[in-house]
Amino acid sequence: MGVYREVSPGVFSVGVIDWDRRLFDELIPLPDGTSYNAYLVRGGEKNALIDSADPPFGRALLENLERLGIDRLDYVVAHHAEQDHSGSIPAVLERFPEAKVVCTPRCRELLEEHLKISAEKFETVEDRATLSLGGKTLEFLYTPWVHWPETMVTYLKEDEILFSCDFFGSHFATSDLFADPKIIYEPAKRYYAEIMMPFRAIIRKNLEVVDPLSIKMIAPSHGPLHADPSFIVEAYRDWASEDVKNEVVIPFVSMHGSTRLMVDYLTDGLIARGIGVKRFDIAVSDVGKMAEALVDAATLVVATCTVLGGPHPNAAHVAFLANALRPKTRFASIIGSYGWGGKTVKAIQEAIPLLKVEVMEPVLAKGLPGEEDYQALDQLADEILKRHQELGIA
Ligand code: FEO
């Protein structure tokens, strides 16, 4: 079951809230659930559905359209081929066989491949093309890589609504139709970190695409709508900038306590030097929180015990993930403890080739850390402070 709600005259939210989902892409924790937003734009002559829903929710989407009294659908706008938005398009086309799928040529290819939608169902659009529904004009704007290559957004000119799909979205299940900026900032930042951060440079270009528009409302395809568009646009401008903050992110794992002692010592030393610390026990903590912390931090220190001659697999996992997310982090180091040897430093360094970081001298202790190890951690904290001061952030 779902509900539809009017967001502007003739524009309805017809998507579905997924209150209970706890994992996305079988990877990303969803502590607050999510939603698959879809919108129905009712023009004087034609109707358009904007995006659909994850396949298990196709029926709820169709029920919303039925309750709204939609008995003819002219267009389904597919902003993005990922199945959480496109996956119910086949069900929509079965119910409304007259509808055409409106998308970029690249999106058409992906929808043909992933969903086996037949060629005659498509009407591809060029960048800046418009489509009149009768008193409602849709303008399509190409915004590649937010976060697949085929993505576009739609601007409803008369109502000044930007339908942005994943761009500006958040995994946040709520009954509130509109976002409270104080509440949505953190889920939106986390979403940015997990989904958008690897494409920072192109996101800045896409912000330039939407900047000239007069926007009263941003309607994303996950999470609540933004009645205050400048709030989320400015947040994106900040996150996607190359500015880093005077912070160190420390993901750590410690089997018998030695690495934890080193992390505690380094944490205190950094705080004493006026540097912010965000640390995560990666045996139990949520990788989404770590990804969010990496949006801003100048430095990453991976702390790991040694398992079978290399880093703990959890540490290797976070290094691999950080590498894939490509944060703007400038400096990195590795600390930890080992029993009799190993190639921890080499393995972690090799896991982060995409991070444009200067790697600072690692600190590895044999067994319990001793005086020399603590001195080395003091030197590392001094070095981090010096680098942050050189950037003008400490
Ligand atoms: Fe929400 Fe990239 O799909």
Side-chain angles (χ1 to χ4, degrees):
M1 281 288 287
V3 292
Y4 72 81
R5 288 176 284 183
E6 191 169 46
V7 301
S8 182
V11 182
F12 300 86
S13 168
V14 293
V16 187
I17 302 169
D18 191 348
W19 297 97
D20 302 323
R21 188 163 181 176
R22 287 294 171 267
L23 203 58
F24 200 84
D25 291 345
E26 304 305 317
L27 172 67
I28 297 166
L30 299 181
D32 303 308
T34 190
S35 64
Y36 316 108
N37 302 344
Y39 302 93
L40 191 287
V41 181
R42 185 183 259 162
E45 295 152 20
K46 293 177 177 175
N47 295 327
L49 175 67
I50 309 233
D51 289 321
S52 70
D54 213 31
F57 297 89
R59 184 171 171 175
L61 170 67
L62 289 173
E63 285 172 358
N64 281 340
L65 295 175
E66 190 177 323
R67 275 191 283 273
L68 193 49
I70 302 298
D71 52 16
R72 176 186 165 78
L73 193 62
D74 299 281
Y75 303 107
V76 183
V77 176
H79 286 133
H80 173 29
E82 194 167 12
Q83 287 90 333
D84 52 327
H85 309 294
S86 68
S88 292
I89 291 177
V92 170
L93 293 177
E94 193 170 319
R95 167 63 186 84
F96 300 102
E98 70 282 5
K100 292 286 185 196
V101 179
V102 176
C103 62
T104 64
R106 190 76 195 272
C107 187
R108 172 186 169 157
E109 283 173 33
L110 290 171
L111 290 175
E112 285 180 348
E113 287 159 2
H114 288 284
L115 299 174
K116 308 302 178 200
I117 297 173
S118 56
E120 75 275 8
K121 290 290 184 188
F122 289 94
E123 192 168 307
T124 58
V125 288
E126 295 299 317
D127 187 23
R128 309 276 170 174
T130 59
L131 184 62
S132 174
L133 305 177
K136 301 276 189 199
T137 311
L138 305 178
E139 181 177 14
F140 306 107
L141 303 154
Y142 281 21
T143 49
W145 293 109
V146 287
H147 59 120
W148 281 13
E150 84 297 10
T151 48
M152 69 173 189
V153 298
T154 297
Y155 180 59
L156 175 53
K157 289 186 169 189
E158 291 80 2
D159 300 74
E160 299 187 346
I161 299 174
L162 182 72
F163 299 100
S164 61
C165 202
D166 283 340
F167 202 17
F168 306 123
S170 53
H171 285 311
F172 194 71
T174 172
S175 57
D176 293 339
L177 186 58
F178 292 100
D180 177 337
K182 291 191 293 297
I183 293 172
I184 209 63
Y185 181 86
E186 201 259 333
K189 185 174 183 183
R190 178 187 172 105
Y191 184 86
Y192 166 87
E194 294 162 339
I195 307 293
M196 302 289 168
M197 188 156 65
F199 312 108
R200 195 166 58 250
I202 198 154
I203 282 172
R204 293 198 294 268
K205 286 189 182 154
N206 285 328
L207 288 172
E208 288 173 16
V209 171
V210 301
D211 270 346
L213 304 174
S214 171
I215 302 173
K216 279 189 186 152
M217 185 190 303
I218 292 180
S221 291
H222 293 294
L225 288 75
H226 301 285
D228 176 7
S230 62
F231 155 75
I232 192 69
V233 170
E234 289 311 312
Y236 261 67
R237 218 184 294 288
D238 175 31
W239 301 333
S241 76
E242 294 302 324
D243 299 337
V244 288
K245 292 194 167 69
N246 182 27
E247 291 175 354
V248 178
V249 173
I250 310 179
F252 74 96
V253 56
S254 180
M255 289 191 298
H256 300 295
S258 296
T259 297
R260 182 183 287 275
L261 285 171
M262 297 174 75
V263 169
D264 288 344
Y265 188 86
L266 180 63
T267 299
D268 291 348
L270 291 168
I271 293 171
R273 287 165 176 80
I275 300 168
V277 177
K278 292 182 174 171
R279 52 182 266 179
F280 303 93
D281 179 346
I282 49 184
V284 293
S285 62
D286 167 348
V287 290
K289 294 286 286 181
M290 185 200 73
E292 187 190 330
L294 286 171
V295 169
D296 302 305
T299 298
L300 167 68
V301 176
V302 177
T304 180
C305 50
T306 302
V307 178
L308 299 173
H312 190 287
N314 287 3
H317 171 68
V318 297
F320 185 87
L321 188 62
N323 183 65
L325 294 175
R326 282 175 270 162
K328 55 192 167 190
T329 313
R330 302 286 182 85
F331 312 105
S333 191
I334 299 148
I335 67 171
S337 170
Y338 64 96
W340 50 86
K343 295 184 176 170
T344 293
V345 169
K346 185 167 183 284
I348 295 288
Q349 280 184 332
E350 286 177 355
I352 55 171
L354 297 178
L355 296 191
K356 294 185 170 48
V357 289
E358 177 190 343
V359 179
M360 288 181 276
E361 189 63 28
V363 181
L364 288 193
K366 192 165 192 300
L368 262 182
E371 197 49 42
E372 281 185 12
D373 303 309
Y374 288 121
Q375 283 174 8
L377 289 170
D378 280 331
Q379 284 171 13
L380 176 59
D382 284 338
E383 203 61 34
I384 291 171
L385 177 62
K386 186 174 158 219
R387 296 291 199 283
H388 287 200
Q389 285 171 334
E390 285 166 359
L391 286 181
I393 58 173

